[in-house]
Amino acid sequence: MKIGIIGAGVMGADHAHILSTSVAGVEIAAIADADAGRARRVAGENGIGRILADGFDVVKDDGIDAVLIASPDETHKPLVLACLDAGKPVLCEKPLARAAADCLEIVRRECGIGRRLVQVGFMRRFDPGYVDMRRTVESGELGAPLIMHCIHRNESAPAYVEAQGLIANSAVHEFDAARYVLGGEPARISVVIGRATSKARIPDPQLVLLEFRDGTVVDIEVFLNARYGYDVRAELVCEEGTISLAPPHATTMVHRQHDGFQHPRDWRPRFADAYRAELRAWAAFLSGGPAAGASAWDGYVATSIAEAGIRAQKSGQWETIELAERPALYGAGA
Ligand code: ISE
């Protein structure tokens, strides 16, 4: 299978590295980036033979069977639609598109084709911790889920990130993870903006509350300038017990008066296993296996929740999450 990568930034480079070192049955045939120097560097590091000028050239190229999109968010929608029109499978980084209406257009285009071609890069669906939480909920072993506590902390956010980005780019992972673990849909969302750190330009941290249709409540602390490192936590409280993500470390270290483990500076080391599993599942799909991971529908729901969350940031009220009817192509459940 010949893959074309669009985008040679942080995630494009990371995916290129994983695909070229840890995924069997695929070859990266070409890469494109608006910054030609960056594309050349990633191509050189990963033995990619061709550099194309533009993302649409990747989609159109007859030598490319499937496309991985890791370019800026605003390019996702037109590129995904072009992949669908070319009948090519596509793995698109989150968000699928910035507006829910645009995501729905992608969903409808895919339904028109009648088969799954789009996977969205919500990698946590492949993290062993979240997989285990979902399995536990499905088994009924701990009874009904009641409350899910989530924490999403980054070391620092780039200066260009606005308050909306805290919801649309960071909390959005928690929206998808909660749907994945709980297997249902949220009905409404509210955002509490309290005391802000003096270390940020935007109101940070923020507390997001989601209420699912069955009454399960999810609370999410999003703190983009937590300073000490990247840290993601979750605890699910059920009728008969709780299940939490274990700290993701194989070892702890004693050194200079400290006993413990280091937090990574960003999400790539924390979710390295998940990214590898995500790309292996995509490769298996490309060779005829079942569609895996988040679908275009999941991408649509995540962006719809984010839109309602941005409204809630402004209104200070609970905002309803309106969803279109779920098409049969995507089966049941999250
Ligand atoms: C970033 O865009 C990501 O997608 C990371 O997974 C997330 O943890 C981070 O907060 C976002 O800024």
Side-chain angles (χ1 to χ4, degrees), residues 94 123-124 152 154 169-170 173 224 230 232 267 275:
K94 49 66 57 170
M123 75 295 189
R124 294 194 192 178
H152 182 130
N154 289 66
N169 285 90
S170 297
H173 279 288
L224 297 191
Y230 185 74
V232 163
W267 51 91
Y275 283 120

Side-chain angles (χ1 to χ4, degrees), residues 25-76:
V26 296
E27 182 194 322
I28 311 172
I31 187 161
D33 193 285
D35 177 340
R38 194 157 78 160
R40 265 197 304 278
R41 195 167 53 248
V42 176
E45 284 164 3
N46 297 284
I48 304 171
R50 280 192 306 144
I51 296 163
L52 297 176
D54 171 290
F56 291 97
D57 294 341
V58 174
V59 178
K60 280 186 272 173
D61 194 287
D62 286 339
I64 287 172
D65 304 309
V67 178
L68 192 155
I69 299 174
S71 46
D73 296 356
E74 66 277 10
T75 65
H76 291 186

Side-chain angles (χ1 to χ4, degrees), residues 17 83 167 170 224 278:
H17 176 68
C83 289
I167 301 285
S170 297
L224 297 191
E278 173 185 74

Side-chain angles (χ1 to χ4, degrees), residues 173-188:
H173 279 288
E174 310 299 327
F175 303 158
D176 188 67
R179 292 182 61 242
Y180 170 73
V181 167
L182 297 170
E185 298 298 8
R188 55 184 197 148

Side-chain angles (χ1 to χ4, degrees), residues 1-3 19 23-26 65-68 83-84 87-92 110 113-120 126 276-296 329-330:
M1 274 286 161
K2 302 244 192 300
I3 311 287
L19 284 170
V23 181
V26 296
D65 304 309
V67 178
L68 192 155
C83 289
L84 289 176
K88 293 190 182 178
V90 52
L91 172 53
C92 180
E110 188 177 43
I113 295 168
R115 66 193 165 96
R116 292 265 310 263
L117 287 169
V118 180
Q119 183 177 327
V120 182
F126 297 92
R276 226 180 349 261
E278 173 185 74
L279 290 172
R280 285 181 179 157
W282 188 50
F285 165 66
L286 297 180
S287 6
S295 63
L329 180 65
Y330 304 104

Side-chain angles (χ1 to χ4, degrees), residues 299-314:
Y300 158 70
V301 176
T303 298
S304 302
I305 302 171
E307 276 186 354
I310 291 165
R311 287 200 303 275
Q313 271 182 326
K314 292 186 188 130

